[in-house]
PDB file of all heavy atoms in Angstrom:
ATOM      1  N   VAL A 356     -19.136  -8.126  -2.741  1.00 98.00           N
ATOM      2  CA  VAL A 356     -17.817  -7.837  -2.175  1.00 98.00           C
ATOM      3  C   VAL A 356     -16.761  -8.488  -3.068  1.00 98.00           C
ATOM      4  O   VAL A 356     -16.900  -9.670  -3.424  1.00 98.00           O
ATOM      5  CB  VAL A 356     -17.710  -8.385  -0.735  1.00 98.00           C
ATOM      6  CG1 VAL A 356     -16.329  -8.073  -0.145  1.00 98.00           C
ATOM      7  CG2 VAL A 356     -18.816  -7.810   0.128  1.00 98.00           C
ATOM      8  N   MET A 386      -6.248   0.104   5.232  1.00 98.00           N
ATOM      9  CA  MET A 386      -6.411  -0.924   6.250  1.00 98.00           C
ATOM     10  C   MET A 386      -5.069  -1.278   6.894  1.00 98.00           C
ATOM     11  O   MET A 386      -4.961  -1.411   8.120  1.00 98.00           O
ATOM     12  CB  MET A 386      -7.034  -2.178   5.641  1.00 98.00           C
ATOM     13  CG  MET A 386      -7.239  -3.311   6.646  1.00 98.00           C
ATOM     14  SD  MET A 386      -7.573  -4.923   5.875  1.00 98.00           S
ATOM     15  CE  MET A 386      -5.921  -5.356   5.293  1.00 98.00           C
ATOM     16  N   ARG A 422      -5.024 -14.925   3.850  1.00 98.00           N
ATOM     17  CA  ARG A 422      -5.447 -14.312   5.111  1.00 98.00           C
ATOM     18  C   ARG A 422      -5.539 -12.806   4.976  1.00 98.00           C
ATOM     19  O   ARG A 422      -6.482 -12.189   5.497  1.00 98.00           O
ATOM     20  CB  ARG A 422      -4.452 -14.687   6.219  1.00 98.00           C
ATOM     21  CG  ARG A 422      -4.785 -14.076   7.588  1.00 98.00           C
ATOM     22  CD  ARG A 422      -6.171 -14.458   8.050  1.00 98.00           C
ATOM     23  NE  ARG A 422      -6.490 -13.860   9.349  1.00 98.00           N
ATOM     24  CZ  ARG A 422      -7.721 -13.638   9.785  1.00 98.00           C
ATOM     25  NH1 ARG A 422      -8.776 -13.971   9.027  1.00 98.00           N
ATOM     26  NH2 ARG A 422      -7.933 -13.095  10.967  1.00 98.00           N
ATOM     27  N   PHE A 423      -4.574 -12.195   4.268  1.00 98.00           N
ATOM     28  CA  PHE A 423      -4.623 -10.753   4.043  1.00 98.00           C
ATOM     29  C   PHE A 423      -5.877 -10.378   3.259  1.00 98.00           C
ATOM     30  O   PHE A 423      -6.571  -9.406   3.589  1.00 98.00           O
ATOM     31  CB  PHE A 423      -3.379 -10.290   3.279  1.00 98.00           C
ATOM     32  CG  PHE A 423      -3.406  -8.829   2.914  1.00 98.00           C
ATOM     33  CD1 PHE A 423      -3.134  -7.860   3.865  1.00 98.00           C
ATOM     34  CD2 PHE A 423      -3.721  -8.425   1.614  1.00 98.00           C
ATOM     35  CE1 PHE A 423      -3.166  -6.503   3.524  1.00 98.00           C
ATOM     36  CE2 PHE A 423      -3.757  -7.088   1.271  1.00 98.00           C
ATOM     37  CZ  PHE A 423      -3.476  -6.123   2.235  1.00 98.00           C
ATOM     38  N   THR A 424      -6.201 -11.160   2.246  1.00 98.00           N
ATOM     39  CA  THR A 424      -7.389 -10.882   1.439  1.00 98.00           C
ATOM     40  C   THR A 424      -8.661 -10.988   2.274  1.00 98.00           C
ATOM     41  O   THR A 424      -9.581 -10.163   2.128  1.00 98.00           O
ATOM     42  CB  THR A 424      -7.461 -11.857   0.248  1.00 98.00           C
ATOM     43  OG1 THR A 424      -6.279 -11.719  -0.550  1.00 98.00           O
ATOM     44  CG2 THR A 424      -8.677 -11.592  -0.615  1.00 98.00           C
ATOM     45  N   ALA A 425      -8.717 -11.966   3.149  1.00 98.00           N
ATOM     46  CA  ALA A 425      -9.899 -12.127   4.001  1.00 98.00           C
ATOM     47  C   ALA A 425     -10.062 -10.929   4.936  1.00 98.00           C
ATOM     48  O   ALA A 425     -11.192 -10.422   5.126  1.00 98.00           O
ATOM     49  CB  ALA A 425      -9.784 -13.417   4.810  1.00 98.00           C
ATOM     50  N   LEU A 426      -8.971 -10.468   5.519  1.00 98.00           N
ATOM     51  CA  LEU A 426      -9.032  -9.288   6.386  1.00 98.00           C
ATOM     52  C   LEU A 426      -9.487  -8.057   5.606  1.00 98.00           C
ATOM     53  O   LEU A 426     -10.285  -7.250   6.101  1.00 98.00           O
ATOM     54  CB  LEU A 426      -7.666  -9.027   7.014  1.00 98.00           C
ATOM     55  CG  LEU A 426      -7.178 -10.034   8.058  1.00 98.00           C
ATOM     56  CD1 LEU A 426      -5.738  -9.728   8.454  1.00 98.00           C
ATOM     57  CD2 LEU A 426      -8.093 -10.016   9.287  1.00 98.00           C
ATOM     58  N   TRP A 427      -8.986  -7.920   4.399  1.00 98.00           N
ATOM     59  CA  TRP A 427      -9.349  -6.777   3.558  1.00 98.00           C
ATOM     60  C   TRP A 427     -10.829  -6.818   3.171  1.00 98.00           C
ATOM     61  O   TRP A 427     -11.516  -5.794   3.217  1.00 98.00           O
ATOM     62  CB  TRP A 427      -8.453  -6.797   2.321  1.00 98.00           C
ATOM     63  CG  TRP A 427      -8.860  -5.905   1.195  1.00 98.00           C
ATOM     64  CD1 TRP A 427      -8.795  -4.548   1.148  1.00 98.00           C
ATOM     65  CD2 TRP A 427      -9.384  -6.320  -0.079  1.00 98.00           C
ATOM     66  NE1 TRP A 427      -9.227  -4.092  -0.064  1.00 98.00           N
ATOM     67  CE2 TRP A 427      -9.596  -5.156  -0.831  1.00 98.00           C
ATOM     68  CE3 TRP A 427      -9.673  -7.558  -0.637  1.00 98.00           C
ATOM     69  CZ2 TRP A 427     -10.095  -5.193  -2.143  1.00 98.00           C
ATOM     70  CZ3 TRP A 427     -10.160  -7.608  -1.929  1.00 98.00           C
ATOM     71  CH2 TRP A 427     -10.383  -6.435  -2.668  1.00 98.00           C
ATOM     72  N   ARG A 428     -11.350  -7.981   2.848  1.00 98.00           N
ATOM     73  CA  ARG A 428     -12.766  -8.088   2.490  1.00 98.00           C
ATOM     74  C   ARG A 428     -13.647  -7.738   3.685  1.00 98.00           C
ATOM     75  O   ARG A 428     -14.664  -7.037   3.539  1.00 98.00           O
ATOM     76  CB  ARG A 428     -13.094  -9.504   1.990  1.00 98.00           C
ATOM     77  CG  ARG A 428     -12.372  -9.868   0.700  1.00 98.00           C
ATOM     78  CD  ARG A 428     -12.747 -11.270   0.206  1.00 98.00           C
ATOM     79  NE  ARG A 428     -14.084 -11.272  -0.399  1.00 98.00           N
ATOM     80  CZ  ARG A 428     -15.106 -11.968   0.027  1.00 98.00           C
ATOM     81  NH1 ARG A 428     -14.980 -12.746   1.123  1.00 98.00           N
ATOM     82  NH2 ARG A 428     -16.265 -11.921  -0.591  1.00 98.00           N
ATOM     83  N   ASP A 429     -13.267  -8.183   4.876  1.00 98.00           N
ATOM     84  CA  ASP A 429     -14.009  -7.805   6.072  1.00 98.00           C
ATOM     85  C   ASP A 429     -13.947  -6.296   6.300  1.00 98.00           C
ATOM     86  O   ASP A 429     -14.936  -5.675   6.716  1.00 98.00           O
ATOM     87  CB  ASP A 429     -13.451  -8.528   7.302  1.00 98.00           C
ATOM     88  CG  ASP A 429     -13.770 -10.014   7.309  1.00 98.00           C
ATOM     89  OD1 ASP A 429     -14.699 -10.423   6.576  1.00 98.00           O
ATOM     90  OD2 ASP A 429     -13.085 -10.761   8.031  1.00 98.00           O
ATOM     91  N   TYR A 430     -12.817  -5.705   6.022  1.00 98.00           N
ATOM     92  CA  TYR A 430     -12.620  -4.257   6.188  1.00 98.00           C
ATOM     93  C   TYR A 430     -13.537  -3.482   5.225  1.00 98.00           C
ATOM     94  O   TYR A 430     -14.156  -2.477   5.606  1.00 98.00           O
ATOM     95  CB  TYR A 430     -11.148  -3.917   5.939  1.00 98.00           C
ATOM     96  CG  TYR A 430     -10.796  -2.456   6.096  1.00 98.00           C
ATOM     97  CD1 TYR A 430     -10.588  -1.905   7.359  1.00 98.00           C
ATOM     98  CD2 TYR A 430     -10.621  -1.636   4.983  1.00 98.00           C
ATOM     99  CE1 TYR A 430     -10.233  -0.577   7.497  1.00 98.00           C
ATOM    100  CE2 TYR A 430     -10.275  -0.306   5.107  1.00 98.00           C
ATOM    101  CZ  TYR A 430     -10.088   0.218   6.389  1.00 98.00           C
ATOM    102  OH  TYR A 430      -9.721   1.549   6.523  1.00 98.00           O
ATOM    103  N   LEU A 431     -13.636  -3.954   3.997  1.00 98.00           N
ATOM    104  CA  LEU A 431     -14.503  -3.295   3.032  1.00 98.00           C
ATOM    105  C   LEU A 431     -15.956  -3.309   3.516  1.00 98.00           C
ATOM    106  O   LEU A 431     -16.664  -2.294   3.433  1.00 98.00           O
ATOM    107  CB  LEU A 431     -14.405  -3.980   1.663  1.00 98.00           C
ATOM    108  CG  LEU A 431     -13.066  -3.917   0.917  1.00 98.00           C
ATOM    109  CD1 LEU A 431     -13.200  -4.587  -0.459  1.00 98.00           C
ATOM    110  CD2 LEU A 431     -12.601  -2.491   0.752  1.00 98.00           C
ATOM    111  N   LYS A 432     -16.385  -4.447   4.018  1.00 97.00           N
ATOM    112  CA  LYS A 432     -17.778  -4.544   4.486  1.00 97.00           C
ATOM    113  C   LYS A 432     -18.005  -3.636   5.695  1.00 97.00           C
ATOM    114  O   LYS A 432     -19.064  -2.994   5.812  1.00 97.00           O
ATOM    115  CB  LYS A 432     -18.104  -6.000   4.838  1.00 97.00           C
ATOM    116  CG  LYS A 432     -18.247  -6.896   3.608  1.00 97.00           C
ATOM    117  CD  LYS A 432     -18.625  -8.313   3.969  1.00 97.00           C
ATOM    118  CE  LYS A 432     -17.450  -9.109   4.457  1.00 97.00           C
ATOM    119  NZ  LYS A 432     -17.770 -10.559   4.641  1.00 97.00           N
ATOM    120  N   ARG A 433     -17.019  -3.566   6.551  1.00 97.00           N
ATOM    121  CA  ARG A 433     -17.165  -2.724   7.755  1.00 97.00           C
ATOM    122  C   ARG A 433     -17.167  -1.237   7.415  1.00 97.00           C
ATOM    123  O   ARG A 433     -17.933  -0.449   7.994  1.00 97.00           O
ATOM    124  CB  ARG A 433     -16.024  -3.057   8.725  1.00 97.00           C
ATOM    125  CG  ARG A 433     -16.145  -2.344  10.076  1.00 97.00           C
ATOM    126  CD  ARG A 433     -15.191  -2.928  11.098  1.00 97.00           C
ATOM    127  NE  ARG A 433     -13.787  -2.781  10.690  1.00 97.00           N
ATOM    128  CZ  ARG A 433     -13.029  -3.786  10.316  1.00 97.00           C
ATOM    129  NH1 ARG A 433     -13.510  -5.018  10.231  1.00 97.00           N
ATOM    130  NH2 ARG A 433     -11.771  -3.592   9.988  1.00 97.00           N
ATOM    131  N   GLU A 434     -16.311  -0.833   6.493  1.00 97.00           N
ATOM    132  CA  GLU A 434     -16.179   0.592   6.171  1.00 97.00           C
ATOM    133  C   GLU A 434     -17.243   1.107   5.213  1.00 97.00           C
ATOM    134  O   GLU A 434     -17.565   2.295   5.228  1.00 97.00           O
ATOM    135  CB  GLU A 434     -14.785   0.851   5.557  1.00 97.00           C
ATOM    136  CG  GLU A 434     -13.629   0.663   6.508  1.00 97.00           C
ATOM    137  CD  GLU A 434     -13.594   1.737   7.578  1.00 97.00           C
ATOM    138  OE1 GLU A 434     -13.813   2.922   7.249  1.00 97.00           O
ATOM    139  OE2 GLU A 434     -13.328   1.389   8.757  1.00 97.00           O
ATOM    140  N   LEU A 435     -17.797   0.236   4.376  1.00 97.00           N
ATOM    141  CA  LEU A 435     -18.651   0.702   3.285  1.00 97.00           C
ATOM    142  C   LEU A 435     -20.131   0.338   3.452  1.00 97.00           C
ATOM    143  O   LEU A 435     -20.934   0.669   2.588  1.00 97.00           O
ATOM    144  CB  LEU A 435     -18.147   0.157   1.951  1.00 97.00           C
ATOM    145  CG  LEU A 435     -16.721   0.587   1.559  1.00 97.00           C
ATOM    146  CD1 LEU A 435     -16.317  -0.038   0.226  1.00 97.00           C
ATOM    147  CD2 LEU A 435     -16.608   2.109   1.481  1.00 97.00           C
ATOM    148  N   THR A 436     -20.475  -0.351   4.552  1.00 93.00           N
ATOM    149  CA  THR A 436     -21.887  -0.680   4.756  1.00 93.00           C
ATOM    150  C   THR A 436     -22.355  -0.155   6.108  1.00 93.00           C
ATOM    151  O   THR A 436     -21.571   0.278   6.932  1.00 93.00           O
ATOM    152  CB  THR A 436     -22.113  -2.190   4.676  1.00 93.00           C
ATOM    153  OG1 THR A 436     -21.289  -2.851   5.647  1.00 93.00           O
ATOM    154  CG2 THR A 436     -21.775  -2.718   3.291  1.00 93.00           C
TER     155      THR A 436
END
Side-chain angles (χ1 to χ4, degrees):
V356 180
M386 180 195 75
R422 179 57 181 156
F423 175 77
T424 301
L426 291 173
W427 167 71
R428 296 182 76 241
D429 289 342
Y430 181 80
L431 295 183
K432 288 182 281 188
R433 186 167 62 250
E434 293 291 317
L435 299 179
T436 57

